[in-house]
Amino acid sequence: MFSDFDPLDLKPGQMVSDWRIVRRVGRGGYAVVYEVEKDGQRFALKLACQTERSPDPKQTDARARREAACLQQLNHGHIIRMLGQGRWPGALSGFHYIVLEFVDGYTLARWVERTHPTPHEVVVLFLKLFDALEHMHARGVLHRDLSLRNIMVTKDGEPVLIDFGAADYATAEELTDGPLPPGTPRNRSPEAQSFWEENRLKPGARYTFKATDDIFALGANLYDVLADPTPESSEGRPVLNSMVITPPTPHRATQGRVPMELSAYAMRLISRDLEVRPATAKDARRPLADLARFEGEDWRERPIHPAPLPLRREPVEGEPVLAPASADAAPVPSAAQRRRRRPWLRPVFVGLLALSVFAAVVAVFLLHRPPQPESPPVTRSAPADQPPASSPLTEKPTSRPARLASALPTQKEVSPSVKLPDNSPTLTNGVPNPQQVQRASGRRVPSKVEQCMLLVASVAWLEAGCTGVQKRPDPEPCPKEAVEAMWKELGWHMGYDTSGPGILLDVTKGSLEEADEQPLAVWKDGPVTGALIRPHYKAPAGMRVDGHLWTTGDRIYGRYVRAHLPGGRTVPICLELTDVRELGSEKLEGSKPGAPVGTKVSETQAVKQWR
């Protein structure tokens, strides 16, 4: 019917009703977003049409109508405003479009990378975001996809929640076809993640999304902002919604640049315990109002992530080299001269390498000495006695503006890779004492000298062409409950069997019969659900086991921590992948970084101690 144009690729100058196309700025799950102009002002126009990422193309129009219905109920300074809607090119049968205010700024992740905010600036920003979330929930609207891409920060430092394409409200019709609503997997709450793991193969299962899920998602964004200087593009970020793995605290991840009070608050927001996590956005906002009054250089002067030093540009081949500033300085040798001198540098390099190895040995010795008594930690001063601001919206702008092309992205964030588990203690309501953290971990914090020694050794190691550090979970005891369950419920004899049950690593990659025809698969870090390929004592063939894979090391490592018994009960277990008594599964030909190739079927071992 509308064969004379492509709604996914409208050209500058084309008209959509009264709006003139300027450029395309993003493409989401069910729509494409254009920057448009009318009467000399800029706006964003979201045109509902099927894209290559549409999860359910038949529901495209319904999703557009529901997004408009959600936005009509909201009126908040930090939530994007809808200015109009309609259909085009036909008033009755055309594509549904929504006109929104144009947010001239950065995504939340880009804001962190460009402005290098202080802890106070981050606190003020999230104080406003939780105020917007409180307004939204009070009107029965759930965003359901609060991600780094769906939070913008204007050039004046004001945050804005955007992209309500996955939003829902109390009386809306059900549009979800899967167990979970569309959204960003990284920001799912632990209870939503557990529901998905248990019901992803059940067509009729539906998760009831709640306000606490939005609170967790916003907390996950806060964690990423605090713990990572490039929160959107970093690889190997720690998983946040696992019932097994606890991520490192922001205080630890930044070597103390995030104050412990703010770090503890962020860990509360992403706690797997619903009794610890705030139940409402209002409860989540109150501590931020207190943290916003803290004074001191570590809160208001020192950036969480220091700006990286610019790299000196290497001269281009054939480019003339400038003379040194000092007349007495030696001239810069040419590339040919440097190549001729290179053989004379080899003995020096060998000597430096030997020195580096010696430094590594000294560092290891220092790191394994018994911890020396430390003086009691200095107690942080309480916040200044200042009256709280009448409204979080009256705070000063939080960013330092920088020139950057504006954007309004709406595409969904892809599933990230998973970092190895961290041994840091779990934070709850209290703020941990540094000595308590040290005793809990059993490790002494290395000094600056020791850290430098290790750095020198690691650089020398890499320059020598040696393999990188092995990426695998740390050894630790299997929980007592799991040992008892494996013995009593499954009849597994840990320490006596030569092998454990054979399993299909991930049931989503095909059945056992399909594995016989196509035995290999490409793997990635993350949760998996496997199945026993044969009976093993009391455990029946086909019994599902939930676990996690690590794939960034020299082998593919896997731990399965929960078994689904007949009748619906689950019990904890400790089952790890093995290959001819060697821990893990071999990476095969064709493996690439981040995408190793391995077998779909593997042997396992029931253990009392994770190796």
Side-chain angles (χ1 to χ4, degrees):
M1 180 176 180
F2 307 127
S3 59
D4 56 337
F5 66 90
D6 180 3
L8 297 177
D9 192 24
L10 298 180
K11 304 301 181 184
Q14 284 187 259
M15 300 293 295
V16 175
S17 296
D18 297 331
W19 315 89
R20 185 185 307 277
I21 298 294
V22 177
R23 64 186 178 100
R24 190 178 71 186
V25 295
R27 184 182 299 185
Y30 81 89
V32 61
V33 179
Y34 292 97
E35 178 186 347
V36 296
E37 179 268 338
K38 182 179 180 181
D39 299 331
Q41 293 183 302
R42 291 192 297 170
F43 304 91
L45 186 144
K46 191 170 186 177
L47 185 63
C49 56
Q50 183 178 349
T51 73
E52 68 274 12
R53 288 187 294 272
S54 297
D56 50 359
K58 295 181 180 179
Q59 301 286 4
T60 294
D61 194 77
R63 289 192 179 281
R65 287 187 277 109
R66 189 172 66 178
E67 179 172 5
C70 289
L71 290 171
Q72 284 177 328
Q73 302 177 58
L74 305 176
N75 182 21
H76 192 277
H78 298 290
I79 297 176
I80 194 167
R81 289 185 301 153
M82 186 181 73
L83 306 174
Q85 60 177 315
R87 291 189 179 276
W88 174 84
L92 297 178
S93 58
F95 296 98
H96 195 287
Y97 68 83
I98 303 171
V99 180
L100 306 161
E101 64 176 328
F102 189 85
V103 182
D104 188 11
Y106 328 120
T107 63
L108 180 59
R110 201 79 171 117
W111 175 76
V112 173
E113 296 173 11
R114 296 301 296 264
T115 64
H116 310 291
T118 64
H120 177 262
E121 290 172 333
V122 171
V123 166
V124 171
L125 189 86
F126 275 83
L127 187 61
K128 298 173 181 179
L129 289 172
F130 273 108
D131 190 77
L133 194 63
E134 181 182 358
H135 171 88
M136 185 192 313
H137 288 174
R139 285 149 184 80
V141 176
L142 300 168
H143 190 283
R144 305 202 302 181
D145 192 18
L146 291 170
S147 68
L148 294 168
R149 290 178 176 269
N150 291 337
I151 299 174
M152 298 287 291
V153 183
T154 69
K155 296 292 181 66
D156 296 326
E158 298 299 326
V160 181
L161 297 179
I162 67 169
D163 195 357
F164 283 70
D168 197 9
Y169 59 95
T171 59
E173 61 177 322
E174 179 61 57
L175 298 178
T176 301
D177 291 335
L180 296 180
T184 303
R186 175 172 178 76
N187 295 343
R188 293 172 182 163
S189 67
E191 54 271 22
Q193 180 67 20
S194 295
F195 184 90
W196 180 79
E197 292 173 1
E198 296 174 5
N199 297 276
R200 55 181 171 174
L201 303 179
K202 300 177 183 178
R206 295 291 182 273
Y207 177 73
T208 302
F209 196 93
K210 302 173 291 295
T212 50
D213 293 284
D214 268 346
I215 294 171
F216 178 92
L218 198 51
N221 290 321
L222 174 60
Y223 177 92
D224 285 341
V225 165
L226 295 176
D228 199 325
T230 56
E232 190 175 56
S233 57
S234 294
E235 297 182 358
R237 290 183 294 177
V239 64
L240 303 181
N241 51 22
S242 171
M243 287 293 188
V244 180
I245 302 171
T246 301
T249 67
H251 179 81
R252 178 176 179 178
T254 59
Q255 299 181 346
R257 296 184 74 92
V258 173
M260 296 185 72
E261 296 88 344
L262 180 55
S263 179
Y265 169 78
M267 296 302 287
R268 283 186 58 199
L269 293 180
I270 60 172
S271 171
R272 65 180 69 122
D273 187 352
L274 282 172
E275 296 297 324
V276 174
R277 201 186 317 156
T280 67
K282 185 176 182 179
D283 293 337
R285 182 171 58 83
R286 286 195 187 105
L288 284 171
D290 295 332
L291 293 175
R293 298 197 298 272
F294 273 86
E295 300 285 349
E297 180 182 353
D298 54 343
W299 283 90
R300 296 179 179 253
E301 301 296 333
R302 185 174 67 171
I304 295 171
H305 309 294
L309 294 176
L311 297 176
R312 186 171 60 183
R313 186 177 67 86
E314 293 293 335
V316 180
E317 187 72 22
E319 180 182 25
V321 181
L322 297 179
S326 172
D328 297 330
V332 179
S334 65
Q337 291 172 327
R338 287 196 298 270
R339 283 194 295 269
R340 287 196 298 270
R341 294 177 185 177
R342 189 169 299 165
W344 297 96
L345 295 177
R346 289 175 184 170
V348 178
F349 175 79
V350 173
L352 290 175
L353 178 58
L355 182 62
S356 300
V357 174
F358 173 77
V361 174
V362 175
V364 171
F365 170 76
L366 290 174
L367 289 176
H368 285 80
R369 288 187 304 171
Q372 301 298 322
E374 298 181 4
S375 58
V378 180
T379 304
R380 184 182 299 279
S381 60
D385 293 329
Q386 300 176 2
S390 58
S391 168
L393 309 184
T394 60
E395 296 281 355
K396 68 182 181 69
T398 61
S399 69
R400 294 177 281 277
R403 298 301 300 173
L404 181 70
S406 58
L408 189 63
T410 59
Q411 68 184 44
K412 306 301 178 194
E413 184 180 56
V414 297
S415 177
S417 57
V418 179
K419 191 177 180 180
L420 298 178
D422 190 271
N423 289 333
S424 61
T426 305
L427 292 179
T428 54
N429 290 308
V431 177
N433 182 290
Q435 291 183 344
Q436 293 174 342
V437 173
Q438 175 181 324
R439 288 194 295 268
S441 64
R443 298 177 180 176
R444 184 173 61 85
V445 178
S447 68
K448 277 288 183 184
V449 175
E450 295 164 354
Q451 292 177 14
C452 290
M453 283 181 171
L454 290 176
L455 179 62
V456 170
S458 63
V459 171
W461 185 261
L462 292 175
E463 287 182 345
C466 302
T467 56
V469 179
Q470 188 178 18
K471 300 292 184 66
R472 52 183 282 187
D474 294 333
E476 58 183 328
C478 175
K480 181 180 179 181
E481 300 80 11
V483 175
E484 293 179 354
M486 288 189 290
W487 169 254
K488 295 179 180 179
E489 300 279 356
L490 302 174
W492 292 352
H493 304 264
M494 287 74 69
Y496 299 99
D497 294 336
T498 57
S499 64
I503 66 168
L504 185 67
L505 270 64
D506 192 343
V507 296
T508 65
K509 291 187 178 293
S511 65
L512 181 60
E513 291 75 16
E514 293 171 326
D516 290 337
E517 298 179 1
Q518 296 181 345
L520 305 182
V522 178
W523 300 100
K524 65 177 181 178
D525 285 16
V528 291
T529 296
L532 270 62
I533 62 176
R534 57 180 178 268
H536 191 70
Y537 294 94
K538 297 180 183 179
M543 184 182 77
R544 299 293 174 86
V545 287
D546 298 330
H548 198 96
L549 294 183
W550 289 265
T551 65
T552 56
D554 57 341
R555 296 172 66 81
I556 299 170
Y557 297 97
R559 291 179 178 179
Y560 292 84
V561 297
R562 181 171 57 226
H564 296 260
L565 303 181
R569 287 195 307 119
T570 62
V571 295
I573 60 173
C574 290
L575 196 65
E576 58 187 4
L577 292 183
T578 58
D579 181 9
V580 195
R581 304 296 293 167
E582 186 176 358
L583 189 63
S585 180
E586 183 182 5
K587 291 184 176 181
L588 303 177
E589 184 178 356
S591 296
K592 299 178 181 179
V597 176
T599 59
K600 295 182 180 179
V601 174
S602 175
E603 295 299 319
T604 62
Q605 182 71 43
V607 296
K608 294 181 180 179
Q609 172 82 23
W610 296 113
R611 290 182 289 171

